[in-house]
């Protein structure tokens, strides 16, 4: 999974020429180079420590998990990556055995002292154990703790209680290497979807212990993986350059099930039998604002661009690619991913938090008053659909028939709800007071320096004013806001989650009490919810689990710790020389399949 900030916006496209030269933006050499950009700065390149969109995408091309998803198959299908095949899974979904393919090597690094370092089963054991090390700060530990790997939580607790160093060398019954290439995972409870953790480089992208120990505090700047690319150069918050990993194994693309659509068929034909990766270098520029982002592509400085929604009417007038872009050979590739944009309410906050009826009424009134359709229309230029709940399309548990009363604005009902639950008193400025007569001020966080954030803030201000609620805004960098959210210092904040697996468990886990302080930014705790969540985790997909997931979803809608806003629609723009790009809904390593004509 990955977080994505509310991306910055610059309003209408200016007629001024592109004046901010991109680093290394001279004409391409004969090498195959892909130039692209992200609109948010990276944090770094240790999968355990990051969850921002840019870092996650880069890491996915450097580090590899045992499994992945087929590039083209829809619905998505698991396929082996560094594994020799799909894992052996016991009938009760409590034992998993992975076999790693021999002859896979980490990229060369001085730490290895000139020797080739083979990937072995113990590397995945070490990779998973790192999440349990109390010294390391990660948002992802709960993914493994929820799975209840035998012995690991106890090993972590011993290090915490005795204030000792986490013992990586101590074998536990739930995670051990069986031999050089096989490792076993044992769970205390059944987990039918556990294997999906091993198809996500953010959780199980293999790292070498000697690299981690050698670079220690500077590890974020020294990624060493087995993937198709390695880090060549990094200018923080400016440019990241990846180059082909010269030691990458021979990986020949063989298509599996290919959908009948023209794009998938063309990609399968292009890639069949070819050795990956096809590119020699990928240049990732950090361009925060959409106007220079778009102008860099329009001026030929970028080969691949996720279209800023602010320029949608210029690029796609009437929903079709503009004729002048079509003449240049530009491709516009549309996709609807498994993403949700939302706001969370800090349930520990004395103003908006808690389970008292008046606090639930306040959150629901805020959700009723906020106009998601206006946000999509004014800020995202129609490039999104209104969310009916937190569960996005393409994940198991999403109900396409659900229509939530909170997905459409109803100011009259919101006002009546506040009046009914004691928010009927007002101060001298006309703003509502709390039921006890004290001042009521909402505080919503956002990304500093983002013009899109300013647009969103203006909508919130307008609609909360209409409801009679005073609202103030605070801003910081995306990384700082993540830290504040984990420290429970924010009242309200909004961002996107991109799903990393085709299942709704992750979203429902955002309401699970034990996940508070990790994925559960809302700090939501409800005993009934926790028990239902634990029940559905044990069940295979089917009517019983589906029914429990719908109950959980409705509890989130009822208590409103999260306010779902939209599911974005994406348009990727490719210059005429770019071939083979397709946006996968769950994997992030798409550059390994891209061809670029120099």
């Amino acid at each position: 999974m990955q977080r994505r900030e509310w991306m910055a916006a610059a309003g209408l496209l200016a007629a001024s020429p592109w004046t901010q030269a991109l680093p290394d933006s001279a004409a391409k050499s004969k090498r195959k180079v892909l130039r692209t950009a992200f609109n948010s700065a990276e944090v770094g390149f240790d999968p355990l420590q990051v969850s921002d969109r840019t870092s996650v995408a880069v890491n996915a091309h450097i580090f590899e998990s045992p499994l992945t998803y087929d590039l083209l198959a829809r619905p998505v299908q698991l396929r082996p990556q560094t594994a020799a095949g799909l894992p052996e899974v016991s009938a009760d979904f409590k034992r998993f055995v992975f076999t790693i393919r021999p002859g896979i090597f980490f990229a060369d690094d001085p730490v290895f002292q000139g020797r080739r370092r083979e990937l072995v089963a113990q590397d995945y054991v070490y990779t998973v154990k790192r999440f349990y090390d109390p010294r390391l700060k990660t948002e992802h530990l709960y993914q493994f703790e929820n799975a209840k790997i035998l012995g690991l939580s106890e090993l972590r607790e011993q290090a915490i209680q005795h204030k000792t160093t986490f013992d990586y060398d101590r074998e536990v019954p739930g995670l051990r290497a069986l031999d050089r290439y096989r490792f076993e995972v044992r769970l205390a409870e059944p987990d039918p979807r556990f294997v999906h953790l091993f198809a996500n480089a953010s959780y199980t992208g293999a790292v070498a212990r000697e690299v981690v120990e050698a670079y220690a505090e500077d590890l974020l700047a020294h990624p060493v993986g087995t993937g198709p690319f390695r880090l060549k150069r990094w200018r923080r918050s400016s440019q990241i350059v990846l180059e082909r990993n010269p030691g990458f194994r021979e990986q020949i693309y063989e298509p599996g099930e290919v959908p009948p659509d023209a794009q998938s068929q063309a990609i399968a034909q292009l890639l069949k039998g070819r050795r990956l990766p096809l590119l020699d270098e990928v240049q990732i520029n950090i361009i925060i604002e959409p106007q220079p982002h778009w102008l860099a592509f329009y001026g030929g400085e970028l080969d691949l661009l996720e279209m800023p929604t602010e320029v949608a009417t210029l690029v796609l007038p009437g929903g079709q690619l503009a004729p002048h872009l079509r003449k240049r050979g530009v491709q516009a590739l549309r996709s609807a991913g498994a993403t949700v944009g939302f706001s969370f309410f800090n349930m520990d906050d004395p103003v908006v938090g808690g389970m008292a009826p008046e606090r639930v009424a306040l959150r629901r009134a805020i959700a009723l008053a906020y106009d998601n359709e206006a946000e999509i229309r004014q800020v995202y230029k129609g490039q999104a659909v209104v969310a009916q709940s937190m569960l996005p399309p393409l994940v198991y548990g999403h109900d396409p028939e659900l229509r939530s009363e909170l997905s459409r604005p109803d100011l009259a009902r919101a006002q009546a709800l506040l009046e009914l639950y004691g928010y009927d008193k007002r101060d001298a400025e006309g703003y509502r007071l709390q039921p006890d007569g004290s001042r009521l001020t909402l505080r919503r966080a956002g990304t500093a320096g983002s013009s899109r954030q300013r647009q969103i803030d203006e909508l919130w201000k307008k609609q909360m004013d209409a409801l009679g609620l005073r609202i103030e805004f605070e801003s910081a960098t995306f990384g700082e806001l993540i830290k504040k959210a984990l420290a429970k210092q924010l009242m309200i904040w909004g961002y996107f989650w991109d799903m990393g697996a085709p299942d709704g468990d992750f979203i429902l886990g955002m309401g699970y009490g034990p996940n508070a302080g990790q994925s559960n930014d809302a700090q939501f705790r409800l005993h009934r919810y926790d028990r239902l969540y634990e029940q559905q985790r044990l069940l295979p997909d089917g009517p019983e689990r589906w029914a429990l997931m719908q109950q959980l979803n409705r509890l989130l809608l009822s208590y409103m710790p999260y306010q779902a806003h939209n599911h974005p629609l994406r348009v990727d723009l490719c210059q005429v020389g770019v071939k083979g790009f397709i946006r996968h809904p769950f994997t992030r390593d798409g550059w390994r399949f891209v061809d670029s004509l120099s």
Side-chain angles (χ1 to χ4, degrees):
M1 314 300 165
Q2 66 191 52
R3 300 178 191 256
R4 290 207 295 128
E5 62 187 289
W6 293 111
M7 299 176 290
L12 296 176
L13 178 64
S16 59
W18 169 247
T19 57
Q20 179 185 348
L22 295 173
D24 294 334
S25 61
K28 291 183 183 180
S29 68
K30 293 182 179 179
R31 303 173 74 227
K32 290 189 175 185
V33 179
L34 180 75
R35 301 165 301 172
T36 188
F38 283 95
N39 58 8
S40 59
E42 73 293 336
V43 173
F45 310 117
D46 176 18
L48 175 144
Q49 299 185 61
V50 301
S51 62
D52 66 283
R53 182 192 186 202
T54 303
S55 301
V56 166
V58 173
N59 285 336
H61 293 84
I62 296 174
F63 301 95
E64 293 184 298
S65 50
L67 307 177
T68 186
Y69 296 102
D70 187 281
L71 175 66
L72 300 175
R74 303 292 184 273
V76 297
Q77 296 179 6
L78 282 169
R79 294 188 68 172
Q81 184 157 258
T82 62
L86 296 181
E88 301 173 26
V89 182
S90 64
D92 61 0
F93 298 104
K94 294 169 66 174
R95 181 177 182 265
F96 304 80
V97 177
F98 295 82
T99 301
I100 304 306
R101 188 149 55 89
I104 296 175
F105 295 90
F106 284 93
D108 291 340
D109 190 86
V111 170
F112 302 137
Q113 300 179 344
R115 297 186 297 270
R116 297 193 76 189
R117 169 63 158 82
E118 188 180 23
L119 174 72
V120 295
Q122 189 62 42
D123 293 316
Y124 283 109
V125 172
Y126 174 74
T127 295
V128 173
K129 280 187 173 180
R130 288 186 70 220
F131 287 89
Y132 289 81
D133 189 336
R135 297 173 303 172
L136 302 178
K137 302 301 181 185
T138 179
E139 296 180 66
H140 308 311
L141 170 61
Y142 71 94
Q143 293 279 13
F144 298 98
E145 285 196 314
N146 287 352
K148 295 181 173 59
I149 299 176
L150 291 170
L152 277 180
S153 294
E154 292 80 1
L155 191 61
R156 171 182 169 86
E157 191 59 31
Q158 288 176 16
I160 294 172
Q161 288 184 358
H162 299 296
K163 299 181 180 179
T164 57
T165 301
F166 184 79
D167 189 356
Y168 284 96
D169 296 316
R170 183 171 176 181
E171 191 172 276
V172 297
L175 181 65
R176 62 195 183 102
L178 300 177
D179 53 39
R180 183 171 180 81
Y181 300 113
R182 293 188 306 142
F183 69 94
E184 174 189 64
V185 186
R186 288 182 176 272
L187 309 180
E189 297 177 347
D191 191 338
R193 289 154 295 279
F194 179 71
V195 293
H196 289 288
L197 289 181
F198 290 85
N200 189 322
S202 292
Y203 307 140
T204 52
V207 297
R209 182 172 181 173
E210 56 266 50
V211 170
V212 174
E213 293 176 346
Y215 291 114
E217 298 302 319
D218 199 29
L219 185 63
L220 285 167
H222 294 278
V224 180
T226 64
F229 296 97
R230 64 182 183 182
L231 183 65
K232 177 181 180 181
R233 184 168 60 254
W234 180 23
R235 301 173 186 171
R236 292 177 186 269
S237 303
S238 176
Q239 188 186 58
I240 306 156
V241 179
L242 301 179
E243 65 179 354
R244 180 202 297 268
N245 173 7
F248 187 62
R249 63 190 178 276
E250 183 180 85
Q251 184 180 50
I252 305 300
Y253 180 79
E254 292 297 338
E257 295 184 18
V258 182
D261 65 278
Q263 182 187 10
S264 298
Q265 291 288 327
I267 291 175
Q269 183 176 3
L270 172 74
L271 297 179
K272 181 177 175 60
R274 300 183 71 182
R275 182 172 180 174
L276 305 176
L278 304 175
L279 296 170
D280 296 299
E281 185 171 293
V282 181
Q283 297 175 5
I284 307 111
N285 295 283
I286 307 303
I287 309 175
I288 303 297
E289 293 288 343
Q291 179 177 336
H293 209 127
W294 160 245
L295 289 174
F297 180 84
Y298 189 75
E301 299 283 348
L302 298 176
D303 304 305
L304 175 63
L305 173 73
E306 182 180 337
M307 182 191 73
T309 55
E310 291 76 11
V311 302
T313 55
L314 296 170
V315 177
L316 301 169
Q320 301 296 319
L321 185 64
H324 69 282
L325 295 175
R326 194 181 311 116
K327 288 179 181 178
R328 289 172 49 177
V330 171
Q331 304 171 69
L333 308 176
R334 294 179 175 86
S335 61
T339 302
V340 60
F342 63 94
S343 296
F344 72 79
F345 299 94
N346 182 353
M347 298 293 285
D348 289 337
D349 185 87
V351 175
V352 300
M355 304 298 282
E358 66 272 15
R359 302 300 185 214
V360 177
L362 175 60
R363 295 192 297 271
R364 289 178 63 83
I366 291 170
L368 276 168
Y370 189 72
D371 193 339
N372 289 319
E373 292 177 337
E375 181 183 276
I376 291 172
R377 185 173 59 253
Q378 297 174 27
V379 180
Y380 299 103
K381 309 304 179 186
Q383 301 302 304
V385 296
V386 172
Q388 302 298 327
S389 77
M390 289 290 291
L391 288 170
L394 304 184
V395 302
Y396 186 83
H398 171 77
D399 181 1
E401 304 300 320
L402 176 65
R403 293 295 177 268
S404 168
E405 63 180 9
L406 299 173
S407 64
R408 303 189 67 177
D410 193 331
L411 183 60
R413 289 186 62 197
Q415 290 173 330
L417 193 59
L418 292 181
E419 296 284 332
L420 179 64
Y421 282 91
Y423 295 93
D424 52 340
K425 307 177 187 67
R426 298 191 182 233
D427 62 17
E429 297 177 84
Y431 287 112
R432 296 181 187 273
L433 299 171
Q434 296 199 58
D436 63 3
S438 60
R439 181 185 174 95
L440 195 170
T441 302
L442 304 178
R443 299 190 325 276
R444 192 174 192 278
T447 309
S450 163
S451 54
R452 173 175 286 185
Q453 185 65 59
R454 288 193 292 273
Q455 288 182 288
I456 292 171
D457 290 349
E458 288 171 3
L459 273 175
W460 274 87
K461 173 66 174 169
K462 176 182 177 181
Q463 290 162 6
M464 293 306 102
D465 277 352
L467 188 55
L469 295 177
R470 179 186 285 104
I471 187 168
E472 298 174 354
F473 303 95
E474 56 183 307
S475 62
T477 66
F478 190 65
E480 290 168 344
L481 290 173
I482 291 175
K483 292 178 182 177
K484 287 187 174 183
L486 295 175
K488 302 187 290 187
Q489 295 173 352
L490 301 179
M491 179 190 287
I492 308 170
W493 183 31
Y495 53 85
F496 290 97
W497 264 121
D498 291 337
M499 299 300 101
D503 190 84
D505 178 80
F506 174 82
I507 288 292
L508 299 177
M510 292 170 65
Y512 183 52
N515 290 345
Q518 297 191 68
S519 69
N520 184 354
D521 284 326
Q523 315 300 320
F524 182 62
R525 299 174 184 87
L526 181 68
H527 180 76
R528 179 186 173 196
Y529 187 97
D530 291 348
R531 300 294 78 77
L532 290 172
Y533 177 77
E534 291 166 354
Q535 290 174 38
Q536 67 84 29
R537 279 188 63 87
L538 303 179
L539 297 171
D541 293 347
E544 187 178 357
R545 181 176 184 241
W546 177 270
L548 291 174
M549 295 178 83
Q550 304 317 306
Q551 290 184 53
L552 290 163
N553 198 27
R554 282 169 170 76
L555 285 172
L556 290 179
L557 288 168
S558 297
Y559 287 98
M560 196 53 59
Y562 298 96
Q563 177 185 355
H565 296 301
N566 64 72
H567 304 303
L569 304 173
R570 302 238 177 89
V571 177
D572 291 292
L573 302 176
C574 300
Q575 301 284 13
V576 65
V578 176
K579 307 294 182 183
F581 177 80
I582 187 170
R583 182 180 291 276
H584 194 280
F586 304 111
T587 63
R588 305 287 178 259
D589 65 340
W591 299 329
R592 84 164 73 199
F593 305 101
V594 172
D595 196 4
S596 181
L597 303 179
S598 300

